[in-house]
Amino acid sequence: MIDINRILDKLFSLQRFGIKPGLQRTLKLSELYGNPHEKLKALHVAGTNGKGGTCSYINSILMEAGFKTGLYTSPHILKFNERMRINGRMISDKKLTELAEPLLDYAETHEATFFEITTVMAMKYFADENVDFAILETGMGGKYDSTNIIMPEISVITAIDIDHSEYLGDTIEKIAKEKAGIIKAGIPVVMAENPENVESIIEEKCRLTGSELFRTNDFVDLEKHPGIDPLKRNVITAIKAVDILKEKFNIPDEAIHRGIQNVVKNSGYHFRQEEISPDPMIIMDVGHNPQAVQALIDTIDIKYPGKKFNLLFGAMGDKDLKSILKMINKISNKIILTNAGTSRAAKPDNIRKIATGLGIDIDKVIEKPEDAFDYLYSLKEDFIVCGSFYLIGSILENSDNDFIIDFIKNNMI
């Protein structure tokens, strides 16, 4: 009998080992499994914002072109299995257990981290299933990220901003250098539009490694892809990566159009400015740093100019809460604060103090995310839930609201 809860408890217990630089443990774990990373044809995606979306669009396009795909993203929203998908289907509990058990003893003895072991599990899964392409999202890093043992077909770098500065550096230039660590000698690089100081760092790394650099803002012909919103950088970055693959593989333009259209179904790409209800209008968004929240605000301004929403907000304690609060205040009627559902979350009362210092009124503090959601839902007024993957995950996991239960059943299981 499969005891998936026992396996997941052991996996999550590895989080106590934190985040460690270096690839030695990941390489050893991979060696225990016969080095599956050497058997994969991969696309490797790093960045601060948009990397999960870029991976999801690439995956969906390649599926529509008839390829068998493996998609590795993080974090999950509701269920761990979301992190590993083949042709859009989440890994089964049985397969997950088979992959994890042989590695857990080594992980404990050598203090391998949660992300290191899950990365190797994904690579083994994709190699065993003979996927045509593995699309791999880095964790927070680049050079020392566990996924960086791969030798990809293409390296992709999305929008870079200051985040996880305690690990990656306290300036955008330092963070850009870390992210540029996925660039390999002679492997083409796709770069999303970035600030000039970031782009110059990527350019220099490409020059040193002899890697051809493709800028999305220079090379994507939107006339070939009618209906694509030029603000959606994830889509444009994905299209450019696919355009490079088209030089060696048969990927018709129609597959690109279908892939973009079917990204939620094909990749499980939920809660990126997603409208989950029309009446009242409920929008959920997992953006969790200033750049990502600004993207949400920009979309709201374009789609619903001048409209104000009630806001449910919770975030991690290490985020730039001042900047984010200023942004969401521009589109808010009422702001409800809650705990984002993890030990790393900012305390709602602390967020309220920051908001008060900025002259921003907070309507209520409701500690439990599911109770906060129910309160806003009961008002029958349009609202947005934003600030964290963990906030939305906590609502989905703990809510007994019939609307949420039905949404999960119809869209996520």
Side-chain angles (χ1 to χ4, degrees):
M1 184 175 175
I2 301 168
D3 188 357
I4 188 62
N5 291 328
R6 177 181 63 84
I7 292 295
L8 290 176
D9 285 346
K10 283 189 173 184
L11 276 175
F12 284 112
S13 75
L14 299 176
Q15 291 178 327
R16 72 187 187 277
F17 297 136
I19 297 163
K20 302 176 181 178
L23 300 177
Q24 302 92 333
R25 289 172 303 277
T26 307
L27 286 167
K28 182 60 180 177
L29 287 165
S30 189
E31 185 182 327
L32 294 174
Y33 265 153
N35 295 314
H37 65 286
E38 296 177 352
K39 302 167 187 171
L40 296 175
K41 190 181 276 96
L43 290 93
H44 194 198
V45 183
T48 306
N49 291 310
K51 58 186 188 289
T54 300
C55 285
S56 295
Y57 281 109
I58 292 171
N59 176 76
S60 185
I61 291 167
L62 292 177
M63 280 179 61
E64 294 290 349
F67 294 102
K68 186 176 184 179
T69 64
L71 176 64
Y72 178 56
T73 58
S74 61
H76 62 276
I77 296 172
L78 183 62
K79 191 175 182 182
F80 177 89
N81 309 53
E82 296 167 30
R83 293 171 179 249
M84 305 171 198
R85 298 175 184 264
I86 290 181
N87 280 354
R89 294 181 64 86
M90 290 185 285
I91 187 171
S92 69
D93 289 348
K94 180 175 184 292
K95 187 66 179 178
L96 199 158
T97 301
E98 290 172 1
L99 288 167
E101 277 196 308
L103 300 180
L104 284 168
D105 286 344
Y106 178 90
E108 286 283 351
T109 304
H110 294 82
E111 298 190 355
T113 68
F114 170 80
F115 193 70
E116 288 167 347
I117 189 172
T118 56
T119 296
V120 172
M121 287 167 58
M123 291 177 174
K124 172 67 169 170
Y125 181 39
F126 299 156
D128 284 353
E129 297 294 324
N130 295 308
V131 301
D132 297 312
F133 292 100
I135 302 98
L136 307 173
E137 177 191 2
T138 62
M140 68 174 64
K143 182 178 181 180
Y144 294 117
D145 193 89
S146 298
T147 57
N148 205 29
I149 63 174
I150 201 75
M151 182 61 72
E153 299 290 303
I154 303 171
S155 302
V156 181
I157 296 179
T158 66
I160 293 176
D161 198 3
I162 293 178
D163 204 4
H164 302 298
S165 54
E166 67 273 35
Y167 300 106
L168 303 178
D170 57 2
T171 68
I172 197 166
E173 291 85 2
K174 290 178 182 176
I175 292 169
K177 286 179 182 176
E178 283 295 315
K179 305 291 187 182
I182 72 163
I183 296 172
K184 311 289 198 311
I187 302 298
V189 175
V190 173
M191 177 178 65
E193 187 176 358
N194 268 290
E196 188 176 340
N197 52 344
V198 168
E199 292 195 356
S200 64
I201 289 167
I202 308 301
E203 289 165 3
E204 176 64 9
K205 183 63 183 286
C206 288
R207 188 186 67 78
L208 291 172
T209 56
S211 302
E212 187 173 4
L213 176 61
F214 298 86
R215 294 174 180 81
T216 56
N217 48 331
D218 290 343
F219 287 96
V220 172
D221 181 2
L222 289 178
E223 290 184 7
K224 287 174 58 180
H225 307 289
I228 300 300
D229 181 352
L231 282 177
K232 292 195 173 298
R233 288 192 291 182
N234 303 347
V235 179
I236 294 171
T237 307
I239 290 172
K240 185 62 230 174
V242 169
D243 278 349
I244 296 170
L245 284 180
K246 284 169 72 172
E247 296 175 8
K248 292 195 286 184
F249 303 96
N250 181 28
I251 306 171
D253 284 343
E254 183 55 36
I256 296 176
H257 303 153
R258 288 197 309 269
I260 292 165
Q261 189 175 30
N262 296 327
V263 67
V264 173
K265 176 172 70 76
N266 288 344
S267 301
Y269 185 59
H270 281 291
F271 310 123
R272 276 71 171 188
Q273 305 164 19
E274 181 176 4
E275 184 182 317
I276 66 168
S277 168
D279 187 22
M281 186 186 300
I282 303 172
I283 296 170
M284 284 188 162
D285 186 73
V286 294
H288 53 275
N289 55 40
Q291 192 181 63
V293 174
Q294 187 60 55
L296 169 65
I297 304 302
D298 291 344
T299 299
I300 295 298
D301 285 344
I302 291 167
K303 292 183 72 174
Y304 315 104
K307 182 174 173 59
K308 301 282 188 177
F309 289 80
N310 295 337
L311 264 292
L312 173 55
F313 179 73
M316 297 298 100
D318 60 351
K319 303 304 174 186
D320 182 356
L321 295 173
K322 283 186 179 180
S323 295
I324 294 172
L325 285 166
K326 287 177 186 175
M327 290 175 188
I328 64 173
N329 189 51
K330 295 174 186 175
I331 59 166
S332 67
N333 284 322
K334 304 180 180 77
I335 299 178
I336 313 301
L337 299 179
T338 191
N339 190 306
T342 176
S343 60
R344 289 176 44 227
K347 301 297 183 189
D349 285 334
N350 291 343
I351 303 176
R352 172 180 255 174
K353 288 176 185 174
I354 295 169
T356 301
L358 296 170
I360 296 172
D361 291 330
I362 299 299
D363 188 72
K364 281 181 181 292
V365 170
I366 302 176
E367 192 69 27
K368 290 184 177 180
E370 63 272 24
D371 293 343
F373 181 93
D374 285 348
Y375 167 73
L376 282 171
Y377 190 77
S378 72
L379 299 180
K380 305 300 181 189
E381 298 170 356
D382 299 342
F383 68 98
I384 296 172
V385 182
C386 64
S388 173
F389 277 92
Y390 297 100
L391 168 60
I392 292 175
S394 185
I395 291 169
L396 297 178
E397 186 174 2
N398 298 309
S399 178
D400 58 6
N401 185 298
D402 288 342
F403 169 77
I404 290 293
I405 291 169
D406 287 344
F407 178 85
I408 293 169
K409 183 173 67 177
N410 294 327
N411 296 278
M412 299 192 70
I413 297 176

